[in-house]
Amino acid sequence: VIGCDPASDGVDPSAKRDRTAIVFRQGRTAFRCEAYHDWNTIQVANLLSKYNEQFQPDAIFIDKGGIGAGIYDQLVSRNVPVHGVMFGAKANNEELHLNKRAEMWWTMKEWLEDGPNRLPNEPSLISDMTAPKPVERHDRKRQLESKKDMAKRGIRSPDYGDALALTFAEIVEPRDPNTRSVSSGQPATKAGY
């Protein structure tokens, strides 16, 4: 699966530090991550279309908020298996998570804890994965620090972390079940991924 956290094209000065981050994950291995600065929606959609043909992922998950909506629409029109994710949307497990973003990040945390795993040797990815703090809530729902609050601490948007978290947005079926070996039919990890 591929996760993409798009950023603006740099026209907005407040978004200058953000990157369009793309992370590739197959089961227990996140094997590639890359970032692009000042790319527009067409450039990102073209790149993801190319990756769809090259890697034939089971799914591409994209942050559909903001400029991601335009990229999502372009990929849908090209018949790319894309899933738009709204970070502020309801979580699948609303009793445990405040929103979809928190749910994806905690699922990623469970995946990491239920190793072994492999991550690219990319310091920015590791930095982004450890940047947001959990927020204590009276109702005990899991919540992640907002990007606005992170900015107050001088921390930029965790683009790589969000891109990897997006690969945990939903469990997807293989694009072609005949190309995958199925062992017990059970998820590979307690987290289900």
Side-chain angles (χ1 to χ4, degrees), residues 44-54 60 75 78 80:
V44 176
N46 287 342
L47 181 65
L48 291 173
S49 293
K50 180 182 119 185
Y51 287 159
N52 178 57
E53 292 174 19
Q54 181 179 354
I60 296 174
L75 294 174
R78 300 174 191 189
V80 172

Side-chain angles (χ1 to χ4, degrees), residues 144-162:
L144 207 57
E145 179 181 24
S146 72
K147 293 180 183 182
K148 187 181 284 186
D149 288 342
M150 290 176 66
K152 289 177 189 173
R153 293 192 296 124
I155 308 287
R156 72 174 178 200
S157 174
D159 305 314
Y160 275 134
D162 281 337

Side-chain angles (χ1 to χ4, degrees), residues 65-120:
I67 69 158
I71 299 166
Y72 170 82
D73 289 343
Q74 289 180 52
L75 294 174
V76 166
S77 72
R78 300 174 191 189
N79 294 317
V80 172
V82 63
H83 300 262
V85 179
M86 297 296 289
F87 282 19
K90 291 181 181 180
N92 291 343
N93 185 344
E94 292 181 68
E95 292 179 18
L96 193 56
H97 303 99
L98 179 69
N99 55 30
K100 190 64 178 174
R101 181 174 180 245
E103 185 173 59
M104 291 184 307
W105 276 77
W106 257 270
T107 303
M108 177 174 66
K109 175 185 178 290
E110 292 167 2
W111 175 79
L112 287 164
E113 290 172 344
D114 189 33
N117 303 295
R118 249 188 169 161
L119 296 171

Side-chain angles (χ1 to χ4, degrees), residues 8-96:
S8 75
D9 59 8
V11 174
D12 177 5
S14 67
K16 275 256 186 234
R17 296 173 63 195
D18 287 356
R19 310 151 286 184
T20 292
I22 301 172
V23 175
F24 299 72
R25 182 177 66 82
Q26 184 173 13
R28 309 299 303 158
T29 303
F31 61 92
R32 179 175 175 170
C33 59
E34 50 197 47
Y36 301 91
H37 295 271
D38 303 332
W39 275 36
N40 63 39
T41 57
I42 295 170
Q43 289 171 305
V44 176
N46 287 342
L47 181 65
L48 291 173
S49 293
K50 180 182 119 185
Y51 287 159
N52 178 57
E53 292 174 19
Q54 181 179 354
F55 295 101
Q56 297 187 354
D58 295 327
I60 296 174
F61 292 98
I62 187 165
D63 175 7
K64 195 177 168 185
I67 69 158
I71 299 166
Y72 170 82
D73 289 343
Q74 289 180 52
L75 294 174
V76 166
S77 72
R78 300 174 191 189
N79 294 317
V80 172
V82 63
H83 300 262
V85 179
M86 297 296 289
F87 282 19
K90 291 181 181 180
N92 291 343
N93 185 344
E94 292 181 68
E95 292 179 18
L96 193 56

